[in-house]
């Protein structure tokens, strides 16, 4: 990990633009990790017998509609569970590795959770809507689910970077310096 810290220091020494670009590259890698978690869960959780049975039940609640033909309640549960797990991974890895932050989790996590809930609600509406649209265009259920998830993941990717950059501003070194001054 010292090589990563060396690259971080080199990018920071070259200015804020290079530093932000390097953070964006690391953010892409972390997002790919989160995507792997999300797609794995999307394609594995549906085989749990209890959840598999829910794929045949229509689900209509508030703005969310998942027809049984496109996965129903089971798809709704699997899709959102996968999304939440990916965001948990993303929060902690981005805080620690991408932004090298010591920002207070008691402050940043609730903000992140509210933002994440808003995005998940949006994705919980968009994903099955897009999946239903693709299935109705004679696309296979599995392919439609993966395309819909990829679209939602891409939207989240471009929205999370600026939010994370703002949330994780306080660097570990700044925390050590402020603690040293206090002593």
């Amino acid at each position: 990990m010292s090589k990563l810290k060396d690259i971080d220091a080199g990018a920071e020494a070259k200015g804020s633009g290079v530093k932000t670009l390097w953070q964006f590259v690391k953010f892409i890698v972390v997002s790919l990790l989160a995507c792997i978690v999300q797609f794995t869960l999307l394609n594995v959780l549906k085989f749990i017998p209890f959840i598999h049975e829910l794929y045949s039940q229509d689900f209509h609640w508030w703005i969310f509609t998942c027809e049984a033909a496109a996965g129903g309640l089971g798809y709704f549960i699997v899709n959102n569970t996968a999304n939440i797990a990916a965001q948990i991974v993303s929060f902690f890895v981005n805080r620690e590795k991408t932004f090298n932050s010591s920002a207070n989790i008691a402050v940043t996590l609730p903000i992140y959770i509210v933002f994440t809930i808003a995005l998940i609600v949006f994705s919980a509406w968009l994903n099955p809507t897009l999946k239903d649209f693709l299935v109705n265009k004679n696309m296979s259920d599995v392919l439609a689910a993966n395309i819909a998830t990829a679209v939602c993941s891409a939207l989240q990717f471009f929205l999370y970077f600026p939010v994370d950059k703002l949330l994780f501003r306080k660097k570990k070194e700044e925390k050590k310096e402020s603690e040293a001054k206090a002593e």
Side-chain angles (χ1 to χ4, degrees):
M1 279 299 165
S2 76
K3 286 191 184 246
L4 184 60
K5 289 182 182 185
D6 292 343
I7 296 170
D8 288 345
E12 192 159 351
K14 291 185 180 186
S16 65
V18 173
K19 176 183 163 188
T20 298
L21 182 61
W22 173 236
Q23 287 173 334
F24 189 70
V25 169
K26 290 191 297 183
F27 188 81
I28 290 170
V29 172
V30 172
S31 294
L32 289 173
L33 170 67
C35 263
I36 290 168
V37 169
Q38 186 171 5
F39 279 89
T40 300
L41 289 174
L42 177 73
N43 290 293
V44 170
L45 290 177
K46 65 184 175 183
F47 294 112
I48 296 173
F50 171 75
I51 293 174
H52 185 72
E53 291 172 12
L54 297 176
Y55 268 69
S56 62
Q57 295 180 15
D58 285 344
F59 177 69
H60 303 283
W61 178 70
W62 193 41
I63 61 170
F64 310 113
T65 300
C66 293
E67 302 294 331
L73 179 58
Y75 180 74
F76 182 82
I77 291 169
V78 166
N79 177 55
N80 289 300
T81 301
N83 197 347
I84 290 166
Q87 296 317 319
I88 290 169
V89 168
S90 185
F91 175 84
F92 288 103
V93 176
N94 276 324
R95 178 183 179 271
E96 189 68 28
K97 299 299 179 196
T98 302
F99 298 102
N100 300 317
S101 180
S102 66
N104 187 346
I105 289 181
V107 174
T108 57
L109 187 57
I111 295 167
Y112 190 87
I113 288 171
V114 168
F115 184 72
T116 297
I117 288 171
L119 277 179
I120 287 175
V121 166
F122 175 72
S123 293
W125 167 81
L126 179 62
N127 191 302
T129 302
L130 184 56
K131 181 181 179 244
D132 288 346
F133 173 78
L134 295 171
V135 167
N136 289 335
K137 296 290 182 186
N138 296 323
M139 187 175 287
S140 79
D141 188 63
V142 172
L143 183 59
N146 282 287
I147 289 172
T149 299
V151 168
C152 290
S153 289
L155 287 171
Q156 290 177 4
F157 170 81
F158 287 109
L159 292 171
Y160 269 113
F161 183 75
V163 170
D164 285 2
K165 183 122 173 97
L166 287 171
L167 281 177
F168 303 134
R169 285 186 304 224
K170 188 168 185 174
K171 300 290 175 220
K172 291 178 184 175
E173 295 80 30
E174 291 173 9
K175 183 179 181 182
K176 288 177 186 173
E177 288 173 12
S178 64
E179 288 173 355
K181 288 178 186 177
E183 293 175 356

